Amino acid sequence: MNRKPLQAKKRALRVLRSIKTVAAAGLFCTAFSGCSTLTQPIDGVPANRLPPQFFAEPKNDLVPVDISLLSLEPPRDYQLAGGDILGVYIEGVLPFNPPNAPPEPPPVNFPDAQSTLPPSIGYPIAVQDDGTLALPLIEPLKVEGLTLEQVREAIRDAYIDSEILRPEKARPIVTIIKERTYDVIVVREDGGNLSTQNIAADFIRGTSDRSASGAMVKLPAYQNDVLHALVETGGLPGLNAKNEVKVLRASLADQRKRAQFMQQFYAQQQAARLDPCACPPELPEDPSILRIPLRVKPGVVPNISAKDIELKDGDIVYIESRETEVFYTGGLLPGGEHSLPRDYDLDILGAMAIAGQGVGSAARTGGGSTFGVGSVGGVPPGRVYILRKTPCDGQVAIEVDLAKAINDPRQRPLIQAGDTIILQYKCEEELLNFGLGSFFTYGITELFRN
């Protein structure tokens, strides 16, 4: 009797039983100890069932504001006000000449190197803060809002009416020696040009010092606007600054309004803390601070008036950093903190790519490489959760099926500041990976051993 076929059959049965045993052990261990769906459950809401208020506002379609709206339109003729310095020459009066003495020629004044004014003639006389011009032998003249030609005529008429000069001798010369300027404070937190891709993380970790920079700039009349203040200190806000400009007025009325606003807000917060069922209020918009957006929706023209962008002495132009506009990654994604793009949208697939995890590839850590599966290929993780903060210290977990997200853009939520992204295997994916790993590690070994 030939026993070889019988022995081969028994050997095959032993190998099959070994493989079944290993597979069963793998399924048991995975189900009760390795499946993160069971050990670390997250109650998520599918992205297609989430109400619209939980989604981030898209910004891909935003367009830059016409920067000419941030600049004052100068008048055709320069209009005088307090702080201007005029060059005035009045023959026989300024300077005074004795009778029958030849008149002195007027002095010539050359402007500073930074000035765009032409050379002027005359003796320097400043326009007072009340808008008047003090000249010899006559009452102060009200010149605020007048042009040089109008001031020249007003001086001539004043000396003729006072019978100090005859009409044929009254030929005053009026020029402008120095324009009035406004001292404006500019505080910028954009830190100039970007040198790294992860600016926000550098801020928080302390590896990059991008402290706010401040400057006091002197802006000439009709250039005392937001655009000139930005140009004098480095240009429009950089990529690590918010797409807006804040203007804080230096007037006492605005300062009192800001102080009253903060007192009311903190009083509301204190009252909310005393009530365990109350929701702490969020900081509303300060009515005393002007916010000028730099990007708006197509077709929208921001309501910016000349009064809004005009700056006075002591006003503050503030460029705020966006270092808190970050999202976090965890789970099977490499843990980290990443900054959000400023001018374009970032969906869940793009956020995973930024974190270093390509969609459809095996995870860098976790079950994807267990028992050698990473070396032969395994099932990639197919589910990701977006943990998003809600008002009153709440949270909503958005569940995204990556297979559906790849095929349907509506299944790809946009990432917003403060989100935490957690990548996980589905339970069946982890079971399959564990089974593949067990087979390639133990099954093939057992097959060759028998």
Side-chain angles (χ1 to χ4, degrees), residues 156 191 250 328 441:
R156 182 177 184 276
Y328 306 92
T441 304

Side-chain angles (χ1 to χ4, degrees), residues 190-428:
D190 51 354
N193 296 326
L194 294 173
S195 59
T196 63
Q197 295 181 350
N198 202 353
I199 299 300
D202 290 341
F203 266 117
I204 296 177
R205 289 194 299 264
T207 57
S208 176
D209 182 13
R210 293 184 180 273
S211 304
S213 61
M216 173 78 76
V217 295
K218 290 184 176 293
L219 300 176
Y222 304 115
Q223 296 181 17
N224 54 316
D225 51 49
V226 172
L227 181 60
H228 283 87
L230 295 178
V231 171
E232 288 290 330
T233 55
L236 295 175
L239 291 177
N240 50 334
K242 292 185 177 180
N243 249 325
E244 67 176 10
V245 179
K246 289 183 179 180
V247 179
L248 288 74
R249 304 296 180 186
S251 65
L252 294 178
D254 288 305
Q255 292 176 4
R256 287 194 296 267
K257 191 183 298 183
R258 287 196 291 271
Q260 183 180 6
F261 167 79
M262 294 306 298
Q263 288 177 354
Q264 291 176 351
F265 171 71
Y266 286 124
Q268 293 174 357
Q269 267 198 335
Q270 190 66 25
R273 291 193 185 99
L274 299 177
D275 185 358
C277 298
C279 178
E282 295 184 359
L283 182 65
E285 291 290 336
D286 191 334
S288 65
I289 298 178
L290 173 64
R291 293 177 180 265
I292 302 176
L294 298 181
R295 291 176 71 89
V296 295
K297 292 185 177 297
V300 175
V301 179
N303 186 20
I304 303 174
S305 64
K307 185 178 179 181
D308 293 334
I309 62 172
E310 184 178 6
L311 303 175
K312 299 295 184 180
D313 283 329
D315 285 351
I316 301 173
V317 177
Y318 180 39
I319 306 298
E320 188 176 3
S321 170
R322 62 180 194 94
E323 60 177 321
T324 57
E325 295 183 3
V326 297
F327 67 94
Y328 306 92
T329 55
L332 296 176
L333 290 174
E337 178 187 78
H338 312 273
S339 58
L340 283 170
R342 189 189 69 171
D343 298 330
Y344 60 89
D345 296 329
L346 181 70
D347 61 22
I348 181 61
L349 301 186
M352 291 175 60
I354 289 178
Q357 175 67 39
V359 177
S361 61
R364 290 188 176 182
T365 59
S369 59
T370 303
F371 294 102
V373 175
S375 60
V376 297
V379 179
R383 182 160 48 203
V384 66
Y385 292 94
I386 304 173
L387 307 184
R388 179 160 295 172
K389 297 179 181 177
T390 59
C392 300
D393 298 327
Q395 174 183 280
V396 61
I398 307 173
E399 180 182 332
V400 180
D401 189 305
L402 292 178
K404 295 179 180 179
I406 292 173
N407 296 287
D408 186 1
R410 294 172 297 179
Q411 302 279 350
R412 300 199 289 263
L414 300 180
I415 304 302
Q416 68 182 27
D419 285 350
T420 300
I421 302 173
I422 297 178
L423 180 64
Q424 284 188 346
Y425 283 109
K426 298 177 183 178
C427 194
E428 59 270 22

Side-chain angles (χ1 to χ4, degrees), residues 52-79:
Q53 62 265 27
F54 292 105
F55 288 102
E57 286 289 332
K59 52 189 176 182
N60 269 348
D61 59 342
L62 299 182
V63 295
V65 170
D66 183 1
I67 61 174
S68 64
L69 297 175
L70 308 180
S71 178
L72 291 173
E73 182 181 0
R76 180 175 299 178
D77 297 313
Y78 188 87
Q79 297 176 355

